[in-house]
Amino acid sequence: MQKIIVIGGSRYFGRLLVERLHAAGHRVTVINRGSTPPPEGVEHLVVDRDDEAALKAALDGRTFDVVVDQVCYTPVQAAVAARAFAGRTRRYVMTSTIEVYDPATAALPAVPAGTAVPESAVDPAAWRADPDLPWHDPAYLEAHYAEGKRQAEAVLGAAGFEFASVRSAHVLGGGALEFTGRLEHYTGRVTRGEEITVHAEPLPTVFIHHEELADLLLWAAASDFTGPVNACSDGPLDVHGLVAAIAARTGREPVLRTVPAGADASPFSFDRHYAMSNSRAKELGFRFSRTADWLPRAVAEALTA
């Protein structure tokens, strides 16, 4: 049993993580702003993580074995957390994203198409954090989501505690729980016979089921590895494979329209390569499912929702 605090954890795989940590016998505390109560038996601290004084006051006298940070998006938030949890935890796990590897968002080492991108492509220890950028501007933050995650990793990686980042692939499954609506975008358009915009030669990406990601975060909290680890199910998939899975379930053929080079397309149609490798997680002992095994169920859940 460990004392584990989860920052966020109010919805989707974050809430599932809290439930599974509690079911595993850990003493779990959740920090959020109070919009959603945690599961029964889980301690709840209502505080805004961006308010450093309030966060420190809420944590006064408390220590934890592990922090799992589900909602850290900027180096400013990371710096507040680093100061607030200094001396209060031995291990800090941050949920990050595949987007840190997007070559359209930073000057990154080139990785040949068809080669799964390793964690070393973005090294938090070598990344420069700039807290003076307008991170508090929602429009700026949305436009610089990937860079905010890279810089947050850099700050927490230098904070002095045992730090690991889980770089999640695109998360699917759960029907209405999947709040981004990206899979529903596809199931809805296929069902209604509406066109889906795709690139001329879309490249594969990687996915993970929300339950598998919750399991991986639980595993990461209980482990002792440090540094980034990629989290994706086995089996890259391009947009054509995704819509084929939906067509197989619905009996409707998708209507695809190719966009000009450089134009935006539907989510999960990519004209740049950054599909991740999950080799490090496997070497550390985690075993992934195959995307092809759970995708039909995720599609059925989206159709039902």
Side-chain angles (χ1 to χ4, degrees):
M1 182 182 72
Q2 297 192 89
K3 293 169 62 179
I4 300 177
I5 187 166
V6 179
I7 306 176
S10 61
R11 59 181 178 174
Y12 205 27
F13 62 85
R15 186 172 182 86
L16 184 57
L17 168 65
V18 171
E19 293 170 354
R20 291 188 174 181
L21 286 168
H22 180 60
H26 300 295
R27 294 172 57 188
V28 186
T29 301
V30 166
I31 283 183
N32 60 36
R33 290 178 290 185
S35 59
T36 305
E40 185 177 353
V42 173
E43 184 185 30
H44 192 195
L45 299 181
V46 179
V47 64
D48 185 344
R49 66 161 305 150
D50 296 329
D51 185 335
E52 185 169 351
L55 180 59
K56 287 181 175 178
L59 295 173
D60 187 41
R62 298 169 183 267
T63 59
F64 303 92
D65 297 299
V66 187
V67 178
V68 182
D69 194 341
Q70 295 284 79
V71 288
C72 188
Y73 301 109
T74 75
V76 176
Q77 291 179 319
V80 167
R83 291 188 293 266
F85 285 98
R88 300 184 192 277
T89 188
R90 64 167 180 82
R91 181 167 177 79
Y92 201 107
V93 178
M94 172 190 156
T95 302
S96 190
T97 173
I98 185 178
E99 306 297 338
V100 301
Y101 300 118
D102 186 350
T105 63
L108 300 173
V111 179
T115 301
V117 180
E119 290 86 352
S120 58
V122 176
D123 179 4
W127 208 263
R128 178 178 176 271
D130 187 351
D132 295 325
L133 292 171
W135 296 112
H136 297 293
D137 178 352
Y140 182 87
L141 178 56
E142 182 178 2
H144 297 83
Y145 171 72
E147 181 60 16
K149 285 290 193 178
R150 285 187 288 257
Q151 293 195 23
E153 287 191 39
V155 171
L156 289 168
F161 31 58
E162 188 180 287
F163 175 68
S165 59
V166 173
R167 293 172 176 170
S168 171
H170 308 293
V171 189
L172 299 179
L177 296 176
E178 199 273 287
F179 61 90
T180 68
R182 292 175 294 185
L183 185 55
E184 191 277 333
H185 169 86
Y186 285 95
T187 57
R189 287 183 172 270
V190 171
T191 301
R192 295 187 297 267
E194 298 172 355
E195 70 178 19
I196 296 168
T197 54
V198 298
H199 295 100
E201 297 181 0
L203 295 170
T205 188
V206 285
F207 298 90
I208 190 166
H209 193 271
H210 71 111
E211 294 178 358
E212 186 166 38
L213 182 54
D215 286 339
L216 191 142
L217 287 164
L218 190 155
W219 166 78
S223 301
D224 58 4
F225 70 87
T226 58
V229 65
N230 293 336
C232 58
S233 302
D234 288 334
L237 194 70
D238 65 19
V239 66
H240 293 295
L242 179 62
V243 296
I246 298 169
R249 184 76 189 189
T250 61
R252 300 289 301 273
E253 285 301 312
V255 180
L256 304 180
R257 178 174 65 84
T258 302
V259 299
D264 290 335
S266 293
F268 306 141
S269 180
F270 294 100
D271 59 356
R272 54 200 185 275
H273 166 68
Y274 58 108
M276 300 186 298
S277 166
N278 60 13
S279 294
R280 184 174 190 232
K282 289 180 177 178
E283 291 167 0
L284 290 167
F286 192 83
R287 292 294 174 262
F288 290 96
S289 66
R290 291 191 56 81
T291 303
D293 292 337
W294 57 256
L295 183 58
R297 175 163 58 98
V299 169
E301 292 168 343
L303 289 166
T304 301

